[in-house]
Amino acid sequence: MNESGKKKSDGLFIAGGIALIAVLVIAIKLIFAWLGAAVPPERLNPDLAQSQGVTEQMETDAPAFCPFCGETLHDSFRWGQFCPWCGEKIER
């Protein structure tokens, strides 16, 4: 390969790399935009959900044990969640 052919192939290689990076950046932005549309905002920001009154099940008087299997539940357990031991949904 002569000198001008080598410079031309190097330029094509660099241009291809830049184009690949641009396509990947656009693809990642589209994926995150799609995820933002797929996930409801109250799941992303629980404080927003409580301030809007969307979920009344996230109260502090959650049960200390599962009424189905009797196992002790962790402190952060809330009404409407599923028991980690038996898998039953614990509702009021």
Side-chain angles (χ1 to χ4, degrees):
M1 207 186 283
N2 59 17
E3 189 67 31
S4 70
K6 183 172 170 57
K7 286 183 181 181
K8 185 177 180 180
S9 67
D10 288 346
L12 287 174
F13 182 73
I14 292 172
I18 292 172
L20 178 64
I21 290 170
V23 167
L24 290 175
V25 166
I26 292 169
I28 290 171
K29 285 185 178 271
L30 288 174
I31 288 171
F32 278 104
W34 176 80
L35 284 174
V39 178
E42 56 269 2
R43 298 250 355 242
L44 294 175
N45 189 355
D47 296 334
L48 177 68
Q50 287 179 351
S51 67
Q52 293 178 348
V54 174
T55 58
E56 295 179 5
Q57 293 180 340
M58 297 182 72
E59 296 179 1
T60 57
D61 58 342
F65 64 93
C66 175
F68 299 104
C69 65
E71 292 290 332
T72 304
L73 300 172
H74 50 82
D75 293 337
S76 63
F77 191 84
R78 299 289 177 248
W79 290 105
Q81 292 182 334
F82 292 92
C83 174
W85 307 106
C86 65
E88 293 290 328
K89 186 173 184 177
I90 301 176
E91 297 178 326
R92 285 187 188 235

